[in-house]
Each structure stands twice: as structure tokens, then as C-alpha cells.
Amino acid sequence: MTDQVTRSDAPATVSKIAAVSGDKAGAAEEQTFYYPPNDLVETSNIMAYVREKGFDSYDELYEWSIKNPQEFWADMARRLVDWYQPWDTILDESNAPFYKWFVGGKINIAYNALDRHVKTWRKNKVALIWESEQGETKTFTYYQLWQQVNRWANVLKAMGVKRGDRVTIYLPRIPELPIAMLACAKVGAMHSVVYGGFSVEALHSRIQDAQSRLVITADGGWMNGKVVELKKITDEAIRTSPVVETVLVVRRTGHEVTMQPGRDVWMHDLLALPIASPKFETEVMDAEDPLYMLYTSGTTGAPKGLVHTQGGYQVGIATTLHFVFDIKEDDVYWCAADPGWVTGHSYIVYGPLILGATQVMYEGAPSYPYPNRWWSIVEKYGVTVLYTAPTAIRGLMRFGEAWPNRHDLSSLRLLGSVGEPINPEAWRWYYRVIGKGRCPIMDTWWQTETGMFMITPNPTTPLKPGSGTKPFLGIEADVLNEEGQPAGPDEDGLLVIKRPWPAMLRTIYGDPERYVRQYWSRFPGLYTAGDAARKDEDGYFWVIGRIDDVIKVSGYRLGTAEVESALVSHPAVAEAAAIGLPHEVKGNAIHTFVILRQGYEASEELAEELRQHVGKVLGPIARPEAINFVASLPKTRSGKIMRRVLKARALGLPEGDLSTLEA
Ligand code: WT7
């Protein structure tokens, strides 16, 4: 395997030592299994389903689900969401890998997230509690959120947005972000959300690829006490995008921005017009109509717009959230991700609302103004389920136990982790200090592509720190060696998914061939995730990391190609290479190697200038940790940079097979 991410803290092997039986064999310094509390297991949604189906154990239910996946998913599609018209075919495999789910079904995700709740007692239930970094709060009942989304949908329609149009949304973490997304869904337009931490070039290329005629942004956003100039970045990004006709601007910071007459309109002005009625007739969509596209970094070239659809997607996310985070009517759920990432799409904007949950959304940085910010939010709102990323846990861990210990965290019952492998040390801290040993950690492995959790525990699963445990109901996964044979226990291999699932991506926007090539051609008929993994003797999966040129920085996915092209867009840079190296808090950090053009000299100042430049072009998350000035780069004879060699050198590891290295 090439260029594999090596994590020093990921356990190489796992010996099976029963924690509870007290078996001391092997003199292991860590217990293998962490068992969930009995009452949690007994009252869980998943156990209720096990019993209802007449099974004796979860494992029996799982076996049934993978023998009858279509029956399982259809059962979920009937229970958890409402359809305007039922489907004719559960799964159409006739044009694989362009799978279709719930063919013939009519549905709208916004109907299930909002419309249906306001017809029930949930009308006045709190849907969303939002807290800003500055300490403001806003609360929306389902009725209030529904009305607000309707008003937005009316405005979008009045601005000419139609079914199938692509709307680019570039907003901070404010309620208007989910509102804008839900309004697009109501109108039947695809949203393309660009994370507020991205910058000019990233936004520009996404608008261009999607050919969005309408962009929604804000006069700015708050992060770490500073204003991010979203409108200014938007202006720069669309300077060379003639396709953009309209920019809707949300007033957030009150900072002054330039409004271009005829193009830019304040959203609050439009919402004050009679067209912005709080009633809207939700579009009836086909199950396979696209719901959104979300760009993600790939191996080469420009980011890919992954397309998710209306029907199967909502079935997949509602099912996984219901069973994994065990959402009940009285839960206060908090996913601390940004709605701009798939985690936020599936498990902030859509999933919790479909299930009628109450959720918290927090705008700012975890340690602003002090490292107890998150724990004070848990205490203040009585959060019961907290879902975050290893990088955030490691970041907060650094400040010590005193900060969380100052707060009453007893409302918590389940914890979650996503984005990258969680190192056992961070897992144990999260488990002990935050969960007080009572709250199982749902380490959910999934991707922008998968749309929903794929390998994950549920509240009944015995846990091992650092493992996402086993595939979810209806999902069959495996680890294969280079030849496509199942890898042996604890042997590294490629993570594959063996059959289609409802929330899977349907294609790459505008590039169906790349979809086939990227995901379905390594092993025909199987979905290749792009991750290296191993399975232990208990069948538990251990994800190691990306095997392609994707770097996970603080859980964010960045392509080496993007960072490199940002660098060479600076006049001083002739050539550049980017690699990821282990970092204590970020998981990986971007290290770059730069060849300067003639007439430029390496200096500390230039290095800093280049770091700033990448930050300005791509966004602060892409700012390299290190710039190394070099005279040459290791290349193959065909001229491809051998990042694996750079990485091996940087880590002081053997450089491996150099037979293709340029002489
Ligand atoms: C990649 C997908 C899924 C939402 C956020 C990331 C890594 C994700 C885990 C986990 C180990 C994980 C994989 C995957 N990853 N979750 N629980 N354990 N690795 O979505 O940006 O599309 O990234 O994130 O490498 O391929 P994404």
C-alpha cells in the first residue's frame, strides 16, 4: 500500500482480554471491552427493535438485516418518514453502480423535517436552541422554524429559484444556515453549501462547477472573537463568475459591506415584503431527485461535487440517528460540527429534525472565551447526547480536567466521535472525564460519500477505544488485500462496502465517469472507501486513515493538489508538494516542500507569506504547518511527485520502493 497514514498511537494489535471476567491473561495494560450500562441497553431504540422482530440478540438482528437488506430499509422507510406516494421498487440495480432507491416514491425531506411536525403536538416543541459565540441565544419551536423556512422558500421562489437549480450557500454557523438549506429543499433546488472556513478560490471553484445563479452569504461571521469577512470573500470569488446573478446577504455582524446594486440584496429587506409569507406549498419530489451537492477533496484536481438525493438519504440518516444516538422525545442532542460539512447536513440539519428532536447549535470556538465553553453549554441546556470530533477532544483535553469538572455533566448519556480515528488516549479521556464512565462513545465511521454512519457502535455494543466496532444494520463491510482477498485478522487492507445503501452518493456532479472510476473500479461491484483499515479477531474494524492524497487536518478533508495549486499561484513558487504528518491535536498537519522561482530567496518572512497566501486562497484550515524550501522534489519518471518518499523522509522511515524514482 502506498502513502499510508501511520499513526503512532493507533494500536497495532488488539489482544482479547475480557475486562469484566477479570481474565488477566496476556498482562495487558488496557481492558479490551467497555460495556454499556444495562439500563441504557434495555431502554434503547435498538433493543426495542430486536424484541419487536422476535430476535434474541442484536447479532441476530444484524444477520437478518444483511440477508434481507431491502426488507430492512423498506421497514425503516415506512416507519421513520412519510411519503406522498409509496415507492414501486425498493432498489433498482439495473444500471449499477448508478443505484436507485425507493423508485417511484414521492417525498420531500423538508416535509418530514418540518411540515409533518407542525400538524402534531410537536408544533410547540423546541426544535433548535442556538447560542452564539458572543453569548446571544435564539430558540425556535418546530412551528417557528417551519414558518421561517417557508418565508425563505417564498423569497427564493420569488427570486426565480426553481426545481433542480443549484444554490450556493456560504454562511456562518447561524440559524439562517439550516433555514436556507431547508428552504432550498422545499423549493426543490439543490443546495451546495460551502463551509464558512473556506476562502476565495475554494468558493469560486465550487460556484463555477455548480453553475449557481444565486449565492446566499452574510455580512460576516464570528470566530474566536474575530469577524470573518464572508461578503468580501464572496465578492472576490464571484468577480470571475458571470453565472451569478443574485447574492442574498444575511445581516449578522452589522459590519459594513459593499452591496452591488442589481446583484446584492439584503435578506431582511426581502423577508419584510408581502411575498415572504409564512406559508409555502412544499414541492413534491421524486425519491431520486437530487437534494444537494457537497464538495469534497479528492485525489486529484478540483474538489468533486457529491450528489445526494431526497428519498434514500433521509431514510438512511433517520435510521442511523434513531438507532445509534438512540434519539428519544426528551433528548437534548448536540452535534458540535458545522452544518457546512456532511456531518452537519445529515446530523444537524436533517436527521434530528426528521426525528422531531430538540437540538443545540453553537456558533463559535470550543474554548472561547474560556476552555469551559462547551461544558457550560452541556450544563446550561442539559445536553444528553454530544457528538464531536477527536481533534476537538484532544484540543480540550490539553486544558486539563478542572474545566469540565467545574460543570454538572450528568445529563449526558451518549457521546459520539467522527472525522478521523480517535486515539485511545483521547477516547479514554472523553469516556472518563466527560462521560464519567457512564456514556458509551459512538465512534462513527462514514464519509461525505456515504451520507450516513456505516461502521459504528450502537448503545448495546461492547466498545474498544479507537475502533468503530462493526458495520451498521444492512451494511456489509470488509477489509481486502491488494488482490481483493479478505485480509486476515489484524492485517492491513482496503476498506470496502459490499452492497449499496440508501444514503449513498449517486454520482459526482457533472462527472459520472469519475464516480465509477473513483469508487467502484478498484474491485468491481464493491465500493472502495479510500481508507486503509484492519479487522481484529472479534471482527472489529480499525480505520487507519486515507490511502490517497487526501490529508485529514482536524478532521477536515483537504487534497494535496489543492494546497499545491494554492502555493504555485504565488509568484515566488515554481513547484510545490504537500504531505500530512502526525500532529498532536490536529491528527495530521500539512507540511509543504517548495521550489522557488529564480530571483526569490528562502526566508522566514517568505515562508510566513506563503502560509498566509494559502490561507487566503483556500481558507484558514488549509494553512500549512510548515514550508520547507528545497532545490528539488522526488519524482517518478513520468513526472509525478512522490509524496510517499517525502513523507518517509520526514518521518525518518525507510523510503520503500524507489524503482520508479527519476534518475
Ligand atoms: C474520511 C471521510 C463523515 C463525516 C466527517 C468526515 C475519516 C471519518 C472516522 C472515524 C476513523 C474516520 C476516514 C473517511 N473518518 N470518520 N470514526 N474513524 N476515520 O467526512 O470529510 O468525507 O471524510 O474521514 O478517513 O474516509 P469526510
Side-chain angles (χ1 to χ4, degrees), residues 334-354:
W334 179 22
C335 168
D338 193 284
W341 298 103
V342 75
T343 311
H345 280 52
S346 297
Y347 299 110
I348 296 177
V349 178
Y350 293 117
L353 295 179
I354 292 171

Side-chain angles (χ1 to χ4, degrees), residues 7 9 374-375 388-400 417-427 429-430 552-556 582-589:
R7 295 184 53 83
D9 47 8
W374 272 20
W375 318 126
T388 184
T391 183
I393 298 160
R394 288 191 297 260
L396 290 165
M397 214 170 121
R398 279 185 315 172
F399 298 109
S417 173
V418 64
E420 56 175 324
I422 180 165
N423 47 310
E425 196 195 348
W427 194 101
W429 189 85
Y430 195 26
K552 278 257 152 180
V553 183
S554 302
Y556 299 125
H583 184 280
E584 205 185 324
V585 174
K586 300 176 184 174
N588 298 286

Side-chain angles (χ1 to χ4, degrees), residues 295-297 306 341-344 347 387 390 417-422 442-453 455 466-468 495 527 529-532 542-548 550 552 555-558:
Y295 286 84
T296 190
S297 301
L306 308 186
W341 298 103
V342 75
T343 311
Y347 299 110
Y387 186 30
S417 173
V418 64
E420 56 175 324
I422 180 165
M442 303 295 111
D443 179 358
T444 61
W445 178 88
W446 58 297
Q447 309 175 289
T448 311
E449 288 85 346
T450 69
M452 63 180 223
F453 308 153
I455 298 176
S467 167
L495 182 57
Y527 172 85
D531 277 355
W542 298 80
V543 172
I544 301 162
R546 302 292 309 184
I547 46 160
D548 51 12
V550 167
K552 278 257 152 180
Y556 299 125
R557 183 164 157 181
L558 290 164

Side-chain angles (χ1 to χ4, degrees), residues 29 49 79 99 234 275-276 353 404 421 444 451 492:
E29 63 293 339
Y49 192 55
R79 278 164 195 249
Y99 296 98
T234 305
I275 47 146
L353 295 179
T444 61
D492 287 9

Side-chain angles (χ1 to χ4, degrees), residues 138 145 147-161 167-172 174-184 187 214-220 231 246-253 257-260 263-278 280:
K138 275 188 192 167
L145 193 61
Q147 284 197 322
Q148 200 57 19
V149 170
N150 287 343
R151 297 172 72 220
W152 273 67
N154 278 310
V155 166
L156 291 182
K157 210 165 174 176
M159 299 307 284
V161 175
V167 172
T168 296
I169 302 175
Y170 183 57
L171 285 172
I174 54 178
E176 284 81 354
L177 176 47
I179 288 168
M181 292 163 71
L182 287 154
C184 287
V187 178
L214 189 133
V215 176
I216 303 173
T217 188
D219 61 359
K231 175 64 167 66
T246 310
V247 179
L248 303 182
V249 188
V250 174
R251 179 128 81 201
R252 166 68 188 114
T253 60
V257 293
T258 329
M259 298 290 280
Q260 183 175 308
R263 188 195 70 184
D264 303 350
V265 194
W266 286 107
M267 197 61 198
H268 59 261
D269 285 343
L270 295 171
L271 288 169
L273 298 175
I275 47 146
S277 140
F280 184 86

Side-chain angles (χ1 to χ4, degrees), residues 628-641:
N628 300 290
F629 295 106
V630 292
S632 67
L633 290 167
K635 285 187 190 159
T636 61
R637 277 179 220 115
S638 61
K640 274 180 72 181
I641 295 169

Side-chain angles (χ1 to χ4, degrees), residues 460-476:
T460 73
T461 313
L463 304 172
K464 299 185 190 189
S467 167
T469 73
K470 293 185 178 185
F472 185 73
L473 296 172
I475 304 296
E476 233 186 316

